[in-house]
Amino acid sequence: IRRPPRSTPKPSSAASDVYKRQIKKNDRGGFTVPTNRLYPHQWNWDSGFTALGISSLDKSRAWQELVMLINAQWTNGMLPHIIFHENNPNYFPGPDQWQKNAESQTSCHSQPPVLASVMWQMVSRGTEYDKMKAGTLFNSIMAYHRWFFSARDPDKEGCVSIIHPWESGRDNCPDWDIGLNNMKIPKNLEQYFRKDTSYVDKLERPTDDHYDRFMTILKYGRDCNWDNVKMHNEGPFLAIDPGVNFILLRANKDLYKLANYLGYSETINEIRNWIKILEQGCQKMWNKDINAFTSFDKRTNTYCDAITNASFLCFYAGVGSNQQKSYMIDHCNRILNNCNYGMPSLDPMHKCFESKRYWRGPIWSIMNYMIAVGLEDINELSLADKIKNDTIQLVKKNGMAEYFDPITGIGLGGRDFSWTAAIHLELLKDEIDINSKHNFLNNKNVIN
Ligand code: GLC
């Protein structure tokens, strides 16, 4: 069990109630929306982090979150990045934009696979109940990871690719600029109307040009019925993301522990092999020009020169030689020294840095959480503490925003955000007292 750093401020149980209440407010009957108006559906990795955050307060609700997500798994094993439990005309792009017949009620690609790691956390600090629940979902996670290797690394190169920037969960980070600029926007791209900018300041969201490119890939996918082979071989966009690869590697390591714990010995060799493949494959993302892990655009065969918060997930994955680790620690120190709060989503010295624009500068709690876990794993405790404390302080001062400005600390994007609240609870979980747990469990009908 991870202990919070000694310097972690102690919340009163009343203060932690605010975060719990927010997650309940975002509950839509067994699943949690990221935030009310901007994202009114269920998102894949959001649900993973939400389940983690509430797991020490209400186990059964936490597992339900994962079950609702996994119920939407495709027969090929893919777990979609959005589940549209109901049609909501205030969200764009909705089901009809993803598929012509719109029967599936899901988006048609995935998101960073955090679920195995979330489940392992829930089981390793849980009870027989958690073990039993994990057992019922284990095969679905195996199928999910199998899908990643077959659909996103069909040539067996050792690391998985993404076919849309949205699959990375870091939609408009500069990692995808090379690939997106390399694409042609078709003349017959249908006119569309963004909804996000009616809720959030345009300057905090992806640009219209980025959106045209996102929609171009969507159109291509819709037109070829999301044929994985076609998307991989000929689709408009293909890139290797350090985020997805490091998260998948960590997820496989956690799945391995889970398989051992549950006694699923027949799966051990397969998982061990995935770990071996990715450990070698991740070296592909080492960018010698800047001595850092970065993304790689497969259509132009070019490394991106940006160091992002996903680069620092190398520690979470347990990847890198001693020399590579030491370079990455130097980058980490340098970047943290260049902003008031860490970890920014982009190196502030990079030409594309924008402190308010989504994944091009702002801080995201979930990324901070994973970076801190990785730093603790390699015993870089003061860096881990700095990142955790910044995450806690940002939320305390500026609320449960979607992301935060690394220079001023102000909250940006959507408000009342589930994963920001959930990570806050997770970082402070050992501080939350029994009384407050009791209230959470007994307040089932308070809000909605
Ligand atoms: C944005 C983020 C993505 C997240 C979603 C819902 O699209 O880029 O990572 O899952 O919002 O919060």
Side-chain angles (χ1 to χ4, degrees), residues 34 39 43 45-46 111 169 171 358-359 402 417 419:
Y39 301 122
W43 264 258
W45 69 333
D46 294 65
Q111 246 189 343
D171 310 5
Y358 216 37
W359 290 95
E402 188 178 6
F417 227 80
W419 71 13

Side-chain angles (χ1 to χ4, degrees), residues 116-332:
S117 299
V118 166
M119 279 168 50
W120 172 242
Q121 278 297 305
M122 285 163 62
V123 167
S124 61
R125 63 191 188 210
T127 60
E128 281 300 309
Y129 172 80
D130 299 280
K131 192 172 175 184
M132 180 273 291
K133 292 305 266 186
T136 64
L137 301 183
F138 183 86
N139 287 338
S140 305
I141 301 294
M142 283 297 292
Y144 183 33
H145 287 201
R146 232 173 252 137
W147 171 84
F148 255 109
F149 285 97
S150 64
R152 296 294 185 251
D153 183 20
D155 302 332
K156 302 201 182 328
E157 290 175 63
C159 43
V160 297
S161 296
I162 53 168
I163 51 102
H164 194 301
W166 290 341
E167 199 159 47
S168 74
R170 301 180 301 124
D171 310 5
N172 71 331
C173 67
D175 296 34
W176 323 130
D177 288 2
I178 298 172
L180 291 175
N181 291 334
N182 174 56
M183 267 169 44
K184 288 205 172 40
I185 300 173
K187 294 222 164 52
N188 62 348
L189 184 69
E190 295 88 351
Q191 207 188 2
Y192 63 92
F193 298 97
R194 292 174 65 171
K195 300 273 168 67
D196 57 326
T197 43
S198 38
Y199 311 124
V200 173
D201 188 336
K202 258 189 136 184
L203 295 175
E204 298 170 19
R205 295 287 306 173
T207 61
D208 284 342
D209 180 61
H210 267 132
Y211 249 82
D212 280 351
R213 292 166 201 276
F214 297 155
M215 295 313 294
T216 298
I217 310 174
L218 222 65
K219 176 178 163 43
Y220 186 95
R222 191 171 60 227
D223 289 349
C224 75
N225 210 14
W226 298 95
D227 175 334
N228 281 325
V229 177
K230 200 165 161 63
M231 291 300 292
H232 187 275
N233 295 343
E234 301 162 32
F237 178 90
L238 194 73
I240 300 178
D241 173 25
V244 166
N245 279 285
F246 290 150
I247 288 170
L248 182 59
L249 176 50
R250 172 70 183 226
N252 280 320
K253 290 181 175 176
D254 289 335
L255 192 62
Y256 181 81
K257 292 181 195 156
L258 197 57
N260 269 312
Y261 186 69
L262 297 174
Y264 291 170
S265 49
E266 68 287 0
T267 61
I268 297 286
N269 282 342
E270 188 175 6
I271 305 172
R272 199 186 276 139
N273 193 36
W274 289 338
I275 296 172
K276 207 170 118 203
I277 290 172
L278 279 175
E279 270 178 346
Q280 286 166 6
C282 280
Q283 283 300 327
K284 170 92 188 164
M285 297 179 291
W286 184 254
N287 180 342
K288 290 198 187 77
D289 292 340
I290 56 169
N291 282 321
F293 287 107
T294 69
S295 68
F296 182 81
D297 181 63
K298 299 254 293 179
R299 292 285 177 252
T300 60
N301 279 327
T302 329
Y303 281 100
C304 174
D305 65 357
I307 300 175
T308 67
N309 50 0
S311 304
F312 294 111
L313 294 180
C314 57
F315 308 122
Y316 181 72
V319 160
S321 64
N322 286 342
Q323 203 194 11
Q324 287 172 329
K325 280 187 191 141
S326 134
Y327 276 124
M328 292 308 295
I329 292 293
D330 288 349
H331 289 304
C332 187

